[in-house]
Amino acid sequence: MTSTAVTEPAATANRFDWSISHADDTLVVTFGVERAGIELPAPLRIGVELFFQDNGLSGPTIAIDGPVGRQIRLVTGISKADRAIEYLQRCGAVLHVGRTVWPLPPGLAWSAGGGHGHRIPPLVAVAAAVRAVRLYTPDGLE
């Protein structure tokens, strides 16, 4: 049971205030104060990623391969974003805070990186991107 893993350098993890470790069958992520991971449903995730790239907001993420694939985006500003968190959860998002453990089936690859930006986007920016995607895509009208 070995996972193929490509980890980010410790300096990058320290810069963004999260830590990542893994064993053969688990990935453990600890988010720092005011940090969280937000995981969006696949249809929204693609639109949000394009929105973030267009607006220079692409920051650190964890990608977990698999049939569906998962992407967890590091965000900040979670203590002052109650309404944004509620909205994202209504849209199917999952918020990961503190210490999170994901099981990794055998052979499943994961990676973590700093993205294209040098900052962590605030959680409210993810909510704004989700709203834009839902408003301006034919299948995503609210």
Side-chain angles (χ1 to χ4, degrees):
M1 290 189 157
T2 303
S3 301
T4 305
V6 180
T7 62
E8 66 179 340
T12 301
N14 290 336
R15 183 177 81 205
F16 291 123
D17 195 20
W18 64 351
S19 66
I20 302 169
S21 62
H22 71 95
D24 285 342
D25 59 353
T26 58
L27 178 65
V28 179
V29 179
T30 304
F31 300 100
V33 177
E34 278 298 302
R35 306 283 193 263
I38 189 84
E39 185 174 358
L40 299 171
L44 286 176
R45 181 181 69 219
I46 295 164
V48 167
E49 182 60 32
L50 292 172
F51 181 92
F52 270 35
Q53 286 177 2
D54 289 348
N55 291 286
L57 296 171
S58 184
T61 60
I62 297 171
I64 302 174
D65 292 342
V68 176
R70 299 172 77 177
Q71 183 184 58
I72 298 89
R73 175 177 299 283
L74 183 64
V75 293
T76 189
I78 62 171
S79 69
K80 297 178 182 178
D82 292 340
R83 289 179 55 203
I85 291 169
E86 290 172 14
Y87 174 74
L88 288 167
Q89 289 173 331
R90 282 196 314 270
C91 294
V94 176
L95 184 70
H96 303 282
V97 296
R99 184 174 184 265
T100 304
V101 179
W102 288 285
L104 293 174
L108 194 65
W110 67 275
S111 64
H116 304 290
H118 300 289
R119 299 186 319 201
I120 303 169
L123 185 133
V124 295
V126 176
V130 166
R131 185 165 177 79
V133 168
R134 293 185 73 205
L135 285 172
Y136 297 108
T137 57
D139 295 332
L141 296 175
E142 290 187 337

